[in-house]
């Protein structure tokens, strides 16, 4: 059953599209991590490690709704059996069933925010959400050579032809209390979503933080970041801006 978090009049629902072991040892994904880092990260997120020490990866999307208004979906998972992620991810995903369990009709989704264009974040984008604008940063669209070669023809061109692709530049307000933030590094146009109500804040990070180990030590680079230095700066800047003065890290 999907999990909800409420901030004022805003409801954020965590949706699971699938899960499975990462395709390489986690020590290769974070080559500078120490055993101390891993122990602290595993205490933060017990479900992210298997009994034999592999990274158990959850593929998530998040539904954001202000009051009883239209839904904003952040990311679109790994997708159906023939999705672009099929060569490596555990497709088919279960996002349609998760939306139904959360009481969300895909027709009520009016905005799909794609944090970036890697295949495990765009799988259900497009036809499943016929009434939705799909938002991508301009820097991401300008770097299509970094992504799956079939992505432009299978996703972006149909969305553009239907008038449902919206290209944005930098920070953008979506609805009251919901904003896009440009958080580059993992990819050139990576973006995150900040939800704010009164003094309560929730950040949907996409792959700005791909594992709890980057909360333990934000300086740690992930092997699949396009620009590790820029990704590190994005993490450090955002955590310094949004976190309480004494960020409670595990010891």
């Amino acid at each position: 059953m999907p999990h909800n978090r409420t901030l004022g009049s805003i409801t954020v629902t965590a949706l699971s599209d699938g899960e499975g072991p990462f395709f390489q040892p986690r020590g290769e994904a974070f080559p500078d991590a120490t055993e101390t880092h891993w122990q602290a990260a595993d205490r933060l997120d017990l479900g992210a490690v298997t009994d034999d020490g592999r990274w158990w990866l959850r593929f998530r999307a998040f539904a954001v709704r202000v009051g009883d208004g239209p839904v904003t979906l952040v990311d679109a998972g790994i997708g159906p059996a023939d999705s672009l992620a099929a060569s490596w991810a555990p497709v088919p995903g279960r996002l349609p069933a998760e939306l139904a369990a959360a009481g969300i009709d895909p027709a009520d989704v009016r905005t799909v925010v794609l944090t970036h264009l890697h295949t495990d974040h765009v799988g259900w984008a497009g036809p499943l959400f016929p009434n939705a604008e799909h938002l991508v940063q301009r820097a991401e669209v300008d770097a299509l050579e970094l992504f799956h070669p079939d992505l432009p023809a299978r996703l972006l061109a149909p969305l553009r032809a239907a008038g449902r692709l919206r290209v944005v530049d930098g920070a953008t307000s979506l609805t009251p209390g919901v904003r896009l933030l440009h958080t580059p590094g993992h990819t050139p146009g990576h973006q995150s979503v900040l939800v704010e109500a009164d003094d309560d804040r929730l950040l949907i990070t996409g792959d700005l933080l791909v594992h709890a180990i980057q909360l333990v030590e934000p300086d740690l680079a992930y092997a699949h970041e396009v620009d590790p230095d820029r990704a590190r700066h994005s993490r450090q800047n955002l955590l310094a801006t949004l976190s309480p003065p004494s960020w409670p890290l595990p010891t």
Side-chain angles (χ1 to χ4, degrees):
M1 186 68 185
H3 298 288
N4 291 333
R5 167 82 180 273
T6 301
L7 299 84
S9 64
I10 305 172
T11 301
V12 180
T13 304
L15 306 161
S16 174
D17 195 36
E19 54 189 78
F22 195 59
F23 58 81
Q24 69 181 144
R26 64 183 192 168
E28 294 179 9
F30 298 94
D32 297 326
T34 67
E35 183 58 30
T36 299
H37 290 141
W38 285 118
Q39 290 173 2
D42 291 343
R43 288 197 295 272
L44 275 179
D45 189 0
L46 293 172
V49 59
T50 64
D51 291 341
D52 59 353
R54 299 183 71 186
W55 178 6
W56 189 257
L57 184 59
R58 276 79 59 94
F59 300 92
R60 293 199 180 278
F62 296 85
V64 181
R65 192 171 214 160
V66 180
D68 58 358
V71 175
T72 295
L73 186 74
V74 183
D75 280 332
I78 55 178
D82 63 347
S83 73
L84 297 176
S87 64
W88 69 276
V91 297
R94 55 177 181 255
L95 185 59
E98 285 277 293
L99 288 167
I104 297 172
D105 185 335
D108 291 336
V109 175
R110 299 303 170 86
T111 303
V112 175
V113 174
L114 299 175
T115 61
H116 60 297
L117 294 178
H118 282 157
T119 56
D120 55 323
H121 291 256
V122 303
W124 294 103
L128 182 62
F129 306 106
N131 298 321
E133 271 193 326
H134 291 60
L135 271 62
V136 185
Q137 287 286 329
R138 186 172 303 279
E140 199 79 345
V141 176
D142 289 344
L144 290 182
E145 71 279 0
L146 298 175
F147 305 108
H148 195 293
D150 293 341
L151 179 77
R154 285 190 54 178
L155 177 64
L156 299 184
L159 286 174
R160 187 177 284 113
R164 296 197 293 118
L165 179 66
R166 180 181 171 193
V167 179
V168 299
D169 287 300
T172 303
S173 179
L174 299 181
T175 60
V178 183
R179 284 191 292 146
L180 289 181
L181 303 176
H182 186 203
T183 50
H186 181 75
T187 63
H190 188 282
Q191 57 189 348
S192 303
V193 175
L194 178 63
V195 181
E196 297 180 290
D198 300 323
D199 294 328
D200 209 0
R201 291 175 294 190
L202 183 149
L203 182 68
I204 302 172
T205 66
D207 280 354
L208 175 71
L209 295 163
V210 297
H211 191 284
I213 202 164
Q214 291 179 304
L215 272 178
V216 172
E217 181 46 80
D219 283 352
L220 285 174
Y222 172 51
H224 303 286
E225 291 165 339
V226 169
D227 187 336
D229 288 337
R230 202 172 186 197
R232 184 181 299 111
H233 175 76
S234 290
R235 277 192 301 277
Q236 291 172 334
N237 182 61
L238 208 53
L239 290 174
T241 301
L242 300 179
S243 298
S246 55
W247 182 257
L249 295 180
T251 58

